[in-house]
Amino acid sequence: MRYLRPETLGEALAALATAPHAILAGGTDFYPAAGDRPLRTDVLDITGLAALRGVARAGDGWRLGALTTWTDVVKAGLPPRFDALKGAAREVGSVQIQNVATVAGNLCNASPAADGVPPLLALNAQVELSRQDGTRVLPLGDFLQGNRRTALAADEMMTAILIPDDLPGGDERSHFVKLGARTYLVISIAMVAAVVAVDDAGAIAQARVSVGSCSVVARRLTALEADLTGQPLAQAAAIAAPRHMADLSPIDDVRATAAYRREAALELVRRALSHCAGGQP
Amino acid sequence: MSPDGATRAAIPVSFTLNGKPVTVTTDPVRRLTQVLRDDLGQTGTKVGCDAGDCGACTVLLDGAPVCACMVPVGRLEGHDLRTVEGLAAEGVLDRLQRAFLRFGAAQCGICTPGMLMAAGALLAETPRPTEAQVKDALGGVLCRCTGYRKIIQAVMAATDLDSHTPQAAVGAAVGSRIERLDGNPKVTGADRFGADTAPEGSLVVRVIRSPFHRAAFDLGDLTGFVAAHPGLVRVLTAADVPGRNLHGVIPDMADQPVFAVGETRYKGEAVAAVVGEAEAMEALDLADLPVTWTELPAVLTPAEALAEGAPRLHDRRPENTLMRGLVQRGELAEGFVAAAHVVEGEYSTGFIEHAYIEPEAGYARRVGDRIEVVACTQAPYMDRDDVAAILGLPKDAVRIIPTAVGGGFGSKLDLSLQPYVALAAWLLDRPARITYTRPESMASTTKRHPSHITARIGADADGRLTAMDFLGTFNTGAYASWGPTVGNRVPVHASGPYVYGAYRARSHAVHTNCAPSGAFRGFGVPQSAVAQETLFDELAERLGIDPLDFRLINALDNGSPTVTGQVFDTGVGFKDCLRALKPHWERARAEAAAANAAHPDGPRRGVGVAGMWYGCGNTSLPNPSTLKVGVKADGSLVLFQGAVDIGQGSNTVMTQICADALGLPVDRFQLIHGDTDLTPDAGKTSASRQTFVSGKASYLAGRDLRAQILRLTNASDGAAIDITAEAIRVSEGGTTSTIPLAGLKADAEGFVLMGQGTFDPPTSPLDANGQGEPYAVFGYGAHMVELAVDTRLGTIKLIKLTAAHDVGRAINPLLVEGQVEGGVAQGIGLALMEEFVPGRSENLHDYLIPTAGDVPEIETLLIEAADPLGPYGAKGIGEQALIPTAPAILNAIRHATGARVRHLPATPGTVLRALKDAGHAPVETPDHG
């Protein structure tokens, strides 16, 4: 069993090329998953790869290095469309979790209740996956394949999350709403992220709305997004309707029933849109 | 890398720990908590869950709070780490630590290090934080004792804390808000909990547990397994138990095996225990043991267990029935005939997990022909007796030394780890330790009984209660534990503190293949109060009577008989509690009405009230306590205090009482607590009995010593006593008599004088109809809840809770408030979020308890209707504080919206369904179009 903590990406990818490793970053999923069992895997601790940490402009968009923590996201100067992601960042676990857990790790863990997924779906995020012989970029929606299943190959690691500058110009708003049975340290019953671009007349130029914890992978509500386009932002909340939730496939679990989740999701969508329009959440 | 690849190569890791450089050489993937605690001996950082769910292990890594249980130690290289041990420079507490003591922010103390570290990080950036900022900073650290309010106050006040520590004058200790006497080690990290104390080189024990609710099992070749794994020493099974392979808190109902034989009766039941050297045990995966399981049909609810053909759990208990209880008084049928209005309802509550932040832990060692068990416990003498029976030893061959207890709430009354470490240490003649994992603790230890209750209550046109008929069926799990106690206590208490024309309450405790239901703060009364108190509001509404007035009309008073026919001539302070709430009630109802009128589309505001009573001590059974206080030849004063302090404050309360009884200041006392070799039996810490029962014994011990001293000088009781290193001085009327200590004969332990007090509260047996005097005293109280209901999501926002409690006499109001606030927080959990589902929520992220953000402002109104027996009039408060919270919340929800929630917890989905039933939140059916 090995423990590697390389300082260059090249070393890390070389290690992955030789054998599969458990990739350890924030550790907030790695250790709970281990429970009381001994850790009998080769471990690649990537936290020495300083170049992978931070949020920066990159080409026509933004790049979140794979070691960017939730606290880094909260502290970063970012345009308003990232407000939903920042909102999610403040509600991931606790301050203790946010200080070490990475956004990329949240995606790689691929929980249906991953707080980062709805806002990043609404940002049209892509993920950069690197291996020794090259790099590929996948839309987040393609990367996430199911409950705890992703497109990550054994010899790959996520190196960045890429956010394109693809919103129409003009005013942009975004918001995140998480519903749980208590205030802190809570896995959501349902959550919603909304990103909207508004033209000079106050009409929605583009809307992106996603819902988490209501399907194995969080989903964009494309039918709702289409219905919202061109409509006054002030009317957006009223346009959201039960039929727009049809693509969700929530389940019953210890937190809530499927039926409740479906209803709550609609209400949360309305609140997120209402907040974007300047109302209260 | 070792040749076989089975272990990871150790590497040196250098970092700064509390300002000093350290280097450890270890497997770099080990959790930082393990290295701090096991390798560096820094046990101030606690482990509550190993999953980031509780925050007890919060440390500062380069100044930022992180959970040390999820940090690989290899990552520390070159970094700066701060732990609780580094807070007190040169042993001087910092302001935050002092604020924690001043405000009573540390109860059991297990979460305190994590709280201090998280709060310290906040204060470093924001010296004068708002409440919201404090909550955000502390949201990741769970506390099960305090209800968070005193922690929040302490953090907000820390930067400007003055240096004046409250002191109590001689003779005025009782009633003073002094800081807890055992607080210092709780804020420095020096307190030793179950997992913090084992001798160097102890063997480690881990228990093999059933993965199924019911299973047959074959243990396979355990000897071969041990032989094939260097460092493992032995696997213990039922065949290794030299005495009785059974234990139970009620001796004649003992039915729980140390190791199951043949088949297991619940998921989490022990079948074997592996013992080995620490390193080998850390590398062991329990799943590798050669145990084969065969799942068998199981019954998980009373309905299943009572169904025809259901498998019987215990041969001697037909119909899976552990017991039935009954209290009846008056003619029930006539009572209902006399009623102008009758309401009825069906209620249910689920398993509630105690969720103390300290999982069970401790060690044992063999000392010649005796065994010593050092572990967290609420009941050292009961532990002693059962460990003796299991090992086949006389009772006096067993010594129980309680560690600091990181929360108990009833579950640490039962044996858990004790038999396993005791067996290992006894058979192998080496110290053996164990620390339960969080999932193991949750799966295997006792729970609050799930309840299914039907109740029917009638009142006449004037609002007087004419009749109540109650039936509570309780899921008592696989073993008896405290099931009979719950079954007996509920019928006595299901009435609440009210007067009825006629009353019948029946209980039925039913075995299932679930974890044993046992004692949990209130012994079934919180469940019954939910039914009774919410039906009262429905009845008051039918009658057109204000809910608080309805309770006042029917409230038990001095001279009126309880449902068991008991009459108290004095000390029934329930009406005082309700009257104390009245101005708050009128203010709150007016504010809610105004808010609802002003914001018709906003959240619905509501106000609810609920009352309670709770008998202190065992139900119609003896439960004596004995305390001793002595003077040594060197003038030191020692209180032998066996009432285990699990955070509630008995170390402090017993001393305050004894100080005034004796006439000396609190700071003169040294304490010896809870060691069965040293302290007399002060009973168990449960049933809200310690302040009342042991407190009275402490009072009597103090009075006894005082009388002995006064006799030496023929002084009257008005004399003042002083004890110095040389002499006892007794002053009266301007003259002082001096008794040189050297002139007094010292006993073998060095004591020249010893006072002793024993108190056993007078009760009488209940007859076949449950009539009699079950308790010597009851505590009374009422809670008022203000909240807002989000009618579209079904979420509840608590605004304020006002708690009025008749405590007879508040020995230490700061500690009493701490009990109230902690009880309220657990009541909030019961009402809104907590439900343990066996096999599904054995962790602290699926099982939710309130966080710092979930407990609103709490105002405590202390009523002091003195009890004639209690020390200085005091009654118990521990369990009282939890009971009325949940029904008050449900009543407030109903007041706000008309929604009736009868099945707890009132999670958002449950509330939304009730709102719809009440005509709220128009149903929008997805048309899938």
Side-chain angles (χ1 to χ4, degrees):
Chain A
M1 288 185 290
R2 304 203 297 172
Y3 171 78
L4 296 176
R5 189 164 182 263
E7 292 181 358
T8 67
L9 181 59
E11 292 172 72
L13 298 179
L16 288 175
T18 59
H21 287 66
I23 297 176
L24 173 56
T28 59
D29 290 313
F30 178 85
Y31 284 100
D36 63 353
R37 292 180 303 283
L39 294 157
R40 289 178 181 165
T41 52
D42 288 331
V43 172
L44 178 64
D45 183 336
I46 60 169
T47 55
L49 308 177
L52 292 191
R53 184 161 180 179
V55 183
R57 287 294 295 171
D60 291 335
W62 292 85
R63 178 184 179 91
L64 276 65
L67 286 176
T68 305
T69 66
W70 292 107
T71 299
D72 293 339
V73 169
V74 170
K75 289 182 174 169
L78 288 165
R81 86 189 92 132
F82 283 86
D83 286 356
L85 185 65
K86 288 192 169 202
R90 288 189 198 91
E91 296 202 50
V92 172
S94 61
V95 171
Q96 288 87 328
I97 309 281
Q98 293 155 22
N99 282 338
V100 294
T102 62
V103 183
N106 191 240
L107 303 183
C108 291
N109 189 53
S111 160
D115 292 308
V117 175
L120 287 169
L121 283 177
L123 287 167
N124 282 342
Q126 301 173 309
V127 296
E128 178 188 275
L129 308 179
S130 299
R131 70 202 318 162
Q132 197 169 25
D133 60 1
T135 290
R136 59 178 177 145
V137 172
L138 287 182
L140 177 57
D142 292 348
F143 174 74
L144 297 169
Q145 296 186 334
N147 185 1
R148 313 276 171 180
R149 284 196 300 117
T150 71
L152 193 72
D155 61 350
E156 278 183 317
M157 62 176 273
M158 186 179 290
T159 43
I161 299 163
L162 307 172
I163 314 292
D165 283 344
D166 62 350
L167 272 186
D171 193 8
E172 62 183 53
R173 318 268 181 91
S174 87
H175 192 60
F176 175 78
V177 199
K178 176 173 172 176
L179 173 66
R182 70 178 176 189
T183 308
Y184 299 106
L185 275 174
V186 69
I187 297 171
S188 67
I189 294 170
M191 59 188 153
V192 167
V195 173
V196 292
V198 188
D199 66 21
D200 294 343
I204 294 172
Q206 196 176 107
R208 304 171 188 164
V209 181
S210 49
V211 178
S213 291
C214 291
S215 40
V216 283
V217 176
R219 290 188 71 106
R220 287 270 295 270
L221 301 181
T222 49
L224 172 62
E225 292 173 2
D227 285 357
L228 289 173
T229 306
Q231 302 295 323
L233 179 56
Q235 300 299 313
I239 291 167
R243 66 189 148 83
H244 294 126
M245 305 297 126
D247 288 345
L248 301 179
S249 48
I251 58 163
D252 292 343
D253 68 10
V254 289
R255 281 173 269 284
T257 63
Y260 174 74
R261 282 196 159 93
R262 201 179 284 277
E263 280 185 67
L266 173 58
E267 182 60 26
L268 297 179
V269 165
R270 288 173 172 160
R271 289 182 189 195
L273 291 169
S274 172
H275 189 277
C276 288
Q280 288 303 304
Chain B
M1 207 191 317
S2 64
D4 63 357
T7 55
R8 206 173 282 105
I11 60 169
V13 183
S14 299
F15 56 101
T16 308
L17 176 58
N18 296 320
K20 294 183 182 124
V22 294
T23 300
V24 288
T25 300
T26 185
D27 174 354
V29 184
R30 288 176 76 212
R31 300 168 189 257
L32 175 55
T33 40
Q34 291 175 305
V35 174
L36 279 173
R37 295 174 51 83
D38 297 343
D39 297 14
L40 297 171
Q42 304 283 298
T43 55
T45 300
K46 305 304 177 189
V47 174
C49 70
D50 265 342
D53 297 327
C54 78
C57 64
T58 299
V59 295
L60 302 187
L61 183 54
D62 299 329
V66 303
C67 289
C69 72
M70 301 188 295
V71 174
V73 69
R75 190 173 299 166
L76 269 283
E77 179 65 41
H79 288 275
D80 179 74
L81 185 69
R82 300 268 161 182
T83 68
V84 69
E85 286 94 345
L87 293 181
E90 313 287 319
V92 178
L93 300 188
D94 75 8
R95 279 175 191 246
L96 183 60
Q97 290 172 307
R98 285 197 285 116
F100 265 54
L101 296 180
R102 180 77 54 82
F103 286 86
Q107 284 191 22
C108 81
I110 193 79
C111 76
T112 305
M115 285 287 183
L116 287 168
M117 299 318 287
L122 170 69
L123 294 179
E125 288 187 1
T126 311
R128 290 173 186 80
T130 63
E131 181 172 330
Q133 288 172 317
V134 175
K135 286 178 176 172
D136 282 349
L138 300 185
V141 189
L142 297 179
C143 171
R144 193 56 154 167
C145 293
T146 65
Y148 302 101
R149 302 306 303 179
K150 295 201 180 295
I151 296 173
I152 293 168
Q153 285 174 3
V155 176
M156 291 177 73
T159 297
D160 299 313
L161 191 75
D162 63 46
S163 57
H164 170 76
T165 305
Q167 303 291 338
V170 175
V174 168
S176 67
R177 302 172 67 90
I178 57 169
E179 295 173 3
R180 55 182 314 138
L181 302 174
D182 53 4
N184 198 295
K186 295 180 189 293
V187 298
T188 62
D191 220 358
R192 291 285 176 262
F193 293 86
D196 302 337
T197 59
E200 192 75 20
S202 292
L203 293 167
V204 171
V205 182
R206 296 196 59 199
V207 180
I208 315 295
R209 298 181 180 280
S210 174
F212 299 110
H213 299 300
R214 181 172 168 233
F217 59 93
D218 176 37
L219 291 173
D221 178 14
L222 299 174
T223 312
F225 184 84
V226 169
H229 290 76
L232 297 192
V233 175
R234 186 154 167 182
V235 180
L236 304 171
T237 68
D240 297 304
V241 178
R244 186 179 75 167
N245 182 29
L246 279 182
H247 62 92
V249 290
I250 300 172
D252 59 2
M253 303 193 87
D255 59 359
Q256 185 165 359
V258 175
F259 295 112
V261 177
E263 69 176 53
T264 59
R265 296 187 177 94
Y266 75 98
K267 180 184 177 301
E269 178 158 20
V271 298
V274 192
V275 190
E277 307 293 344
E279 201 176 339
M281 293 300 289
E282 198 172 305
L284 176 68
D285 189 337
L286 291 183
D288 292 345
L289 269 99
V291 184
T292 48
W293 301 95
T294 308
E295 188 175 7
L296 298 172
V299 289
L300 299 181
T301 63
E304 291 169 18
L306 294 170
E308 202 167 331
R312 190 189 285 188
L313 272 87
H314 300 275
D315 287 342
R316 57 181 163 139
R317 297 191 185 133
E319 295 180 316
N320 286 318
T321 291
L322 172 64
M323 62 84 68
R324 295 173 193 270
L326 169 70
V327 168
Q328 60 183 349
R329 183 173 178 80
E331 295 300 324
L332 201 62
E334 289 176 19
F336 281 112
V337 168
H341 296 280
V342 174
V343 294
E344 60 191 313
E346 190 177 334
Y347 295 79
S348 67
T349 64
F351 280 110
I352 306 290
E353 156 66 21
H354 301 73
Y356 27 72
I357 307 304
E358 181 202 28
E360 293 74 6
Y363 76 92
R365 61 174 188 164
R366 182 170 181 163
V367 182
D369 288 335
R370 300 187 77 213
I371 188 87
E372 292 183 359
V373 180
V374 184
C376 55
T377 179
Q378 296 177 241
Y381 275 85
M382 290 168 48
D383 290 358
R384 181 198 63 172
D385 295 356
D386 254 354
V387 168
I390 290 162
L391 294 187
L393 294 173
K395 287 175 183 176
D396 60 9
V398 179
R399 180 181 188 180
I400 304 289
I401 305 173
T403 61
V405 182
F409 318 114
S411 192
K412 291 176 182 169
L413 292 165
D414 293 59
L415 286 188
S416 56
L417 66 107
Q418 291 86 349
Y420 308 114
V421 288
L423 274 169
W426 183 255
L427 296 173
L428 300 166
D429 199 14
R430 282 183 59 188
R433 67 181 162 97
I434 193 169
T435 302
Y436 277 15
T437 66
R438 172 59 56 182
E440 180 178 30
S441 171
M442 293 183 76
S444 67
T445 63
T446 64
K447 305 281 169 280
R448 181 185 295 289
H449 283 71
S451 66
H452 178 260
I453 290 169
T454 54
R456 192 164 171 247
I457 308 177
D460 67 19
D462 296 329
R464 292 193 187 280
L465 292 162
T466 58
M468 174 172 183
D469 191 11
F470 173 100
L471 174 61
T473 304
F474 293 88
N475 180 343
T476 207
Y479 296 104
S481 182
W482 297 94
T485 311
V486 168
N488 282 326
R489 199 174 258 276
V490 165
V492 173
H493 287 81
S495 60
Y498 304 97
V499 178
Y500 295 80
Y503 176 79
R504 180 176 68 166
R506 293 169 292 166
S507 64
H508 186 188
V510 182
H511 281 302
T512 64
N513 293 110
C514 296
S517 297
F520 190 164
R521 214 170 183 173
F523 283 100
V525 182
Q527 295 95 308
S528 66
V530 164
Q532 171 259 318
E533 286 289 334
T534 57
L535 282 175
F536 269 25
D537 269 31
E538 296 183 25
L539 204 45
E541 184 179 79
R542 296 265 192 96
L543 287 154
I545 298 175
D546 172 89
L548 187 64
D549 289 339
F550 177 75
R551 287 170 174 81
L552 270 165
I553 289 170
N554 292 291
L556 194 72
D557 208 344
N558 292 330
S560 50
T562 71
V563 290
T564 71
Q566 191 171 11
V567 176
F568 293 94
D569 294 328
T570 61
V572 180
F574 182 49
K575 281 191 173 176
D576 298 331
C577 294
L578 296 172
R579 289 190 194 107
L581 284 178
K582 189 103 183 174
H584 300 269
W585 174 255
E586 284 162 3
R587 189 259 318 149
R589 298 280 270 206
E591 280 180 16
N596 288 337
H599 305 288
D601 295 327
R604 298 287 83 197
R605 293 270 299 268
V607 185
V609 68
M612 64 73 51
W613 67 336
Y614 192 79
C616 302
N618 291 351
T619 310
S620 290
L621 288 171
N623 59 150
S625 280
T626 299
L627 272 76
K628 297 193 299 187
V629 58
V631 181
K632 282 186 152 176
D634 63 359
S636 54
L637 181 66
V638 181
L639 179 63
F640 291 85
Q641 195 296 91
V644 180
D645 194 325
I646 58 171
Q648 86 282 25
S650 54
N651 283 332
T652 308
V653 165
M654 296 307 137
T655 310
Q656 285 180 267
I657 291 170
C658 194
D660 280 7
L662 178 56
L664 283 170
V666 161
D667 58 13
R668 291 300 312 278
F669 286 79
Q670 298 169 17
L671 253 64
I672 291 183
H673 40 82
D675 175 330
T676 56
D677 270 12
L678 300 177
T679 53
D681 189 359
K684 60 201 194 300
T685 294
S686 82
S688 300
R689 59 177 293 284
Q690 290 297 22
T691 296
F692 174 61
V693 182
S694 296
K696 183 62 173 276
S698 183
Y699 170 81
L700 295 171
R703 292 294 299 173
D704 182 25
L705 179 60
R706 180 178 175 81
Q708 292 179 37
I709 291 170
L710 296 178
R711 269 202 300 278
L712 292 171
T713 61
N714 284 324
S716 81
D717 199 31
I721 295 174
D722 188 27
I723 303 176
T724 69
E726 291 81 34
I728 300 173
R729 294 201 173 79
V730 181
S731 308
E732 185 169 30
T735 61
T736 299
S737 309
T738 300
I739 311 154
L741 290 166
L744 298 171
K745 187 174 179 317
D747 68 11
E749 277 76 45
F751 286 90
V752 295
L753 290 170
M754 182 64 75
Q756 180 163 316
T758 296
F759 179 62
D760 188 7
T763 61
S764 72
L766 298 177
D767 69 15
N769 288 318
Q771 298 298 295
E773 300 187 338
Y775 308 103
V777 64
F778 284 81
Y780 306 89
H783 288 184
M784 182 187 93
V785 172
E786 298 165 68
L787 54 69
V789 182
D790 181 326
T791 55
R792 290 194 282 271
L793 287 174
T795 52
I796 308 294
K797 176 158 183 55
L798 300 174
I799 297 167
K800 184 180 176 186
L801 193 137
T802 309
H805 282 280
D806 169 22
V807 297
R809 180 75 192 274
I811 304 296
N812 184 327
L814 184 67
L815 294 176
V816 175
E817 289 165 10
Q819 285 299 293
V820 172
E821 292 170 9
V824 165
Q826 292 185 353
I828 290 169
L830 169 69
L832 299 182
M833 63 188 78
E834 295 186 34
E835 181 174 19
F836 177 82
V837 183
R840 286 181 71 190
S841 48
E842 291 157 359
N843 59 64
L844 291 174
H845 55 264
D846 289 319
Y847 187 84
L848 301 183
I849 65 172
T851 67
D854 299 300
V855 181
E857 177 192 351
I858 299 169
E859 182 174 354
T860 301
L861 311 173
L862 295 181
I863 308 301
E864 297 186 321
D867 178 73
L869 289 173
Y872 299 98
K875 308 167 183 173
I877 183 61
E879 300 173 275
Q880 283 78 349
L882 183 152
I883 294 165
T885 309
I889 288 172
L890 299 184
N891 284 339
I893 293 171
R894 185 162 178 276
H895 176 236
T897 63
R900 253 184 348 204
V901 178
R902 287 176 161 176
H903 305 284
L904 296 184
T907 55
T910 301
V911 173
L912 193 68
R913 211 174 315 123
L915 284 163
K916 286 181 184 170
D917 292 345
H920 284 268
V923 183
E924 294 177 277
T925 312
D927 54 18
H928 296 277

